[in-house]
Amino acid sequence: MPTISVDKAALFDALGQEYTTDEFDELCFEFGIELDEDTSNFDRPIVNGKQEPAQLKIEIPANRYDMLCFEGIALMLNIFRGKTSSPDYRLILPPGGELQTITVHPETSNVRPYVSGAVLRNIKFTQARYESFIALQDKLHQNLARQRTLVSIGTHDLDTIQGPFTYEALPPSDINFMPLNQTRSMNGEELMQHYETDKHLSKYLHIIRDQPRYPVIYDSKRVVCSLPPIINGDHSKITLATRNVFIEITATDRTKVEIVNNILVTMFSQYTEEPFSVEPIKIISPHNHQTRQTPDLAPRKTQTEVPYINKCCGLKLSPEDICIMLKKMSHHASPSAASPDLVDVHIPLTRADVLHQCDIMEDVAVAYGFNNLPKSFPGKSGTIAQPLMINKLGDIVRTEAAMAGWSEVMPLILCSHDENFAWLNRKDDGNTAVKLANPKTAEYQVVRTSLLPGLLKTIRENKHHSVPIRIFEVSDVAFKDTSLERKARNERHFAAAWYGKTSGFEVVHGLLDRVMLMLKSTFITKEEGLQGARVDGYWIEEIEDPTFFPGHAAAIHVRLSGKERVVGAFGILHPTVLEKFEFRYPVSTLEMNLEVFL
């Protein structure tokens, strides 16, 4: 969990109460966070002739992004203690009435396709506020943004730049600006060389270094605001005298870019001239249908079931009581007019961690007090676990394969590019495998698209055992899928491999028959097919696959509910494949997709 250090005196002043270490530790426990250390109990270093102020080091749950700074901790604890209510965040128009805009160029789609932002107008920084503002950005970069790979934040003094802004992707040599805290201008290539020895920024260079175009944000006078996700320009850097902050956030994840924007503006809008007011900006991005106004400060609306909460917590709370509890956790709630068993909940945009009514139930339990919940036998729990259907199917296949005398193995899901493609005589079309952007070793470069490399490596490392070796695996492979937001999907496969002095083709075929019988898929003979009846079942057809020995491989065809598809293949591996994996004896393998049987 992230650990946040806050000034002890400043926090207690914000809370309006002094606490002993034990009392504050108890408050943190009640709220669901943990006091890790109170430095006032230890000797503190002398800095510039003064002793360092006492710090409270607080462990924050990884999904509570709203508490990664002093402002968030103070606000949430005050709401929990009933000292204040949840803020009413609102949008305001700029003095001239015209919103700042960021126009997104289509070329950015191949680098960092999403952008968001906002303006904090008439903000007042102190040294402590400024340091907290920078620290929150660092914490978001390290946690939610996954070391800037998913999201990167740029903040600028709006009075030093002029909109409208453009978000472009240009060749590195065409980008020239003076990076933050530097004394000379440099282009994109020179910047990469300059920062490759920098202990702070060098770890982010790999994100865009090998790209033909780098993302860059310009103002209307072609002044570079930032080169995300590496560094901002020195021209628009923020100081204590900054009054208007322009925030731009670029990302590869559409959901997280809005979460980061919301957290940043809600935590520091309290320091604006009109507290909790945010000036929106307009994103113009028609090529990917992302034209919109950001941020959207409206709370998310949902409903929760009163019986569900009471059953999980072992309580008998009324809808009104639940609303009181949720108010302590910064929600706005009211009994539903639709049903006495429902509560309408407005989730504030600071609570990105609330995804399901079980999260609302947890908030009720925290507000009620975990120590106050009635103790009961676990059989009274309102939650009953059950396996996902794909996991249940996988367990059934595992059991059948094991009962047939095969041993299960669990190799790693990462493998080298050659093991996944070249060693199996397969070609990489560039649109199949998910590749690691910055692999530490050549052994782990891609997410496997087949279970065969893992099985064959397992056999290679166990060749000293007696033959035959019969192993299988039921696990996931991954494929690129541009139709999904995450651009990839998992697929559950079953694979088996036989290694022995004979080919074992008939043994692998027998395992296939057994698994298909268990899946209630009958074998369709040629004669049955000639009768014209489209019977559900499976059959095999010879194929020419470079992974297998010519004439010794077959595709597995399945017809379910009248729909036909190829679900896998089996055969004797080609001699070149055996040579790559250093095998002395022949190997027969089987691999098939299990998800079609759900």
Side-chain angles (χ1 to χ4, degrees):
M1 295 192 296
T3 300
I4 310 300
S5 295
V6 297
D7 186 287
K8 180 178 181 179
L11 181 61
F12 287 174
D13 182 61
L15 296 179
Q17 182 177 340
E18 293 291 326
Y19 291 90
T20 66
T21 301
D22 289 340
E23 289 171 344
F24 188 71
D25 186 28
E26 182 64 23
L27 173 63
C28 289
F29 176 80
E30 290 175 358
F31 188 68
I33 57 180
E34 183 177 347
L35 177 62
D36 187 50
E37 184 181 347
D38 182 352
T39 62
S40 63
N41 300 326
F42 306 95
D43 290 333
R44 303 189 300 280
I46 305 297
V47 180
N48 297 327
K50 295 183 179 181
Q51 189 175 38
E52 183 184 73
Q55 301 282 311
L56 296 173
K57 297 183 179 180
I58 305 172
E59 286 192 4
I60 305 298
N63 61 348
R64 287 302 300 267
Y65 316 118
D66 56 322
M67 299 186 69
L68 291 175
C69 60
F70 168 89
E71 289 73 13
I73 294 173
L75 177 63
M76 294 304 155
L77 288 179
N78 274 330
I79 295 173
F80 179 72
R81 294 160 59 241
K83 300 296 184 180
T84 186
S85 57
S86 184
D88 180 21
Y89 300 103
R90 63 192 185 281
L91 298 175
I92 59 170
L93 291 175
E98 185 175 351
L99 299 181
Q100 297 287 353
T101 63
I102 300 179
T103 301
V104 184
H105 289 206
E107 294 81 6
T108 59
S109 298
N110 298 323
V111 193
R112 300 176 77 80
Y114 305 113
V115 66
S116 187
V119 173
L120 294 177
R121 183 75 64 175
N122 295 320
I123 191 170
K124 186 175 182 180
F125 281 122
T126 62
Q127 185 64 39
R129 294 173 183 178
Y130 176 82
E131 292 174 356
S132 181
F133 187 58
I134 301 301
L136 175 59
Q137 295 176 55
D138 286 339
K139 288 293 183 182
L140 290 171
H141 279 150
Q142 302 306 315
N143 293 278
L144 179 62
R146 301 291 177 88
Q147 302 284 348
R148 303 192 188 182
T149 56
L150 299 181
V151 181
S152 62
I153 308 166
T155 52
H156 312 274
D157 188 334
L158 183 59
D159 297 327
T160 64
I161 49 181
Q162 183 175 333
F165 301 89
T166 58
Y167 177 39
E168 307 175 22
L170 300 175
S173 57
D174 293 351
I175 302 170
N176 201 296
F177 71 107
M178 185 185 296
L180 186 65
N181 297 327
Q182 297 299 312
T183 56
R184 68 180 180 91
S185 294
M186 55 187 81
N187 63 29
E189 296 171 346
E190 293 169 337
L191 183 142
M192 289 294 171
Q193 294 174 359
H194 179 80
Y195 285 110
E196 62 186 4
T197 57
D198 187 284
K199 65 178 182 180
H200 175 61
L201 294 178
S202 59
K203 57 188 175 183
Y204 306 123
L205 300 183
H206 71 91
I207 301 174
I208 62 169
R209 187 168 199 164
D210 296 330
Q211 297 287 343
R213 292 172 176 263
Y214 290 175
V216 60
I217 292 182
Y218 287 102
D219 77 347
S220 61
K221 297 182 178 180
R222 302 302 288 176
V223 173
V224 172
C225 298
S226 68
L227 183 79
I230 310 301
I231 196 166
N232 293 341
D234 189 71
H235 180 86
S236 59
K237 66 180 178 183
I238 290 179
T239 66
L240 290 178
T242 297
R243 292 286 288 161
N244 301 303
V245 178
F246 174 65
I247 302 170
E248 44 84 5
I249 305 171
T250 61
T252 58
D253 188 294
R254 185 173 55 194
T255 301
K256 288 183 172 57
V257 71
E258 299 300 347
I259 293 176
V260 169
N261 194 21
N262 291 341
I263 295 299
L264 203 57
V265 299
T266 53
M267 291 300 103
F268 286 88
S269 60
Q270 61 182 287
Y271 298 135
T272 57
E273 194 170 66
E274 297 181 40
F276 305 112
S277 64
V278 180
E279 181 182 313
I281 68 171
K282 186 175 182 180
I283 307 297
I284 303 173
S285 184
H287 66 279
N288 59 357
H289 309 292
Q290 290 298 308
T291 299
R292 67 200 187 282
Q293 178 179 294
T294 67
D296 180 5
L297 301 183
R300 289 179 288 138
K301 298 179 181 179
T302 188
Q303 290 184 322
T304 188
E305 299 168 343
V306 175
Y308 171 80
I309 291 176
N310 284 330
K311 191 172 184 180
C312 292
C313 299
L315 301 173
K316 296 181 179 179
L317 298 176
S318 66
E320 290 76 13
D321 293 334
I322 290 176
C323 293
I324 294 172
M325 298 299 158
L326 290 176
K327 184 178 180 181
K328 295 176 65 176
M329 303 304 291
S330 77
H331 300 284
H332 292 282
S334 59
S336 175
S339 169
D341 289 337
L342 294 176
V343 170
D344 295 329
V345 183
H346 290 191
I347 304 168
L349 64 161
T350 54
R351 294 299 306 276
D353 58 300
V354 178
L355 304 175
H356 186 270
Q357 77 164 340
C358 67
D359 298 311
I360 298 175
M361 175 271 295
E362 182 184 9
D363 277 353
V364 172
V366 170
Y368 188 84
F370 281 124
N371 289 335
N372 299 326
L373 294 175
K375 297 177 181 179
S376 61
F377 189 72
K380 194 176 178 180
S381 171
T383 57
I384 301 174
Q386 59 180 353
L388 296 173
M389 292 306 296
I390 186 62
N391 291 339
K392 188 173 183 179
L393 177 61
D395 288 341
I396 293 172
V397 173
R398 284 189 182 95
T399 302
E400 291 300 324
M403 291 176 65
W406 296 68
S407 300
E408 184 178 10
V409 296
M410 290 183 289
L412 299 175
I413 195 170
L414 298 179
C415 63
S416 74
H417 185 275
D418 284 346
E419 289 168 350
N420 197 72
F421 292 104
W423 288 14
L424 295 177
N425 294 335
R426 295 173 179 173
K427 294 183 179 180
D428 180 11
D429 61 3
N431 299 315
T432 304
V434 178
K435 300 176 183 177
L436 273 66
N438 188 30
K440 297 299 182 184
T441 69
E443 192 176 0
Y444 307 118
Q445 296 173 314
V446 300
V447 183
R448 63 187 177 185
T449 59
S450 167
L451 298 181
L452 296 186
L455 293 179
L456 298 180
K457 287 195 292 183
T458 302
I459 294 176
R460 182 185 65 192
E461 300 304 321
N462 292 275
K463 289 186 298 185
H464 59 280
H465 288 286
S466 60
V467 293
I469 296 176
R470 297 183 292 180
I471 59 174
F472 76 93
E473 182 183 8
V474 179
S475 192
D476 281 356
V477 297
F479 298 98
K480 284 184 179 178
D481 191 340
T482 55
S483 65
L484 301 177
E485 181 182 351
R486 61 182 181 273
K487 307 301 181 185
R489 61 181 171 83
N490 285 16
E491 200 172 86
R492 189 66 52 88
H493 279 203
F494 165 67
W498 163 286
Y499 173 73
K501 294 182 179 180
T502 61
S503 69
F505 181 83
E506 69 284 354
V507 183
V508 170
H509 192 177
L511 177 63
L512 169 66
D513 290 340
R514 175 58 192 163
V515 169
M516 298 302 281
L517 179 64
M518 177 272 306
L519 293 173
K520 297 183 179 179
S521 185
T522 58
F523 184 74
I524 303 175
T525 64
K526 185 176 181 181
E527 289 74 16
E528 290 172 328
L530 290 175
Q531 294 175 2
R534 297 180 62 81
V535 217
D536 281 359
Y538 78 99
W539 68 96
I540 59 175
E541 292 182 7
E542 183 179 342
I543 56 170
E544 290 298 325
D545 187 322
T547 302
F548 301 106
F549 197 78
H552 293 74
I556 307 166
H557 294 254
V558 170
R559 185 186 295 126
L560 297 172
S561 302
K563 296 181 180 179
E564 297 179 9
R565 63 182 300 175
V566 177
V567 297
F570 70 101
I572 304 173
L573 293 183
H574 197 280
T576 58
V577 177
L578 301 180
E579 182 182 355
K580 294 290 186 183
F581 286 95
E582 305 172 6
F583 292 147
R584 296 171 51 197
Y585 301 129
V587 177
S588 290
T589 63
L590 155 70
E591 183 169 12
M592 58 187 291
N593 178 10
L594 292 179
E595 296 193 1
V596 298
F597 297 98
L598 290 177

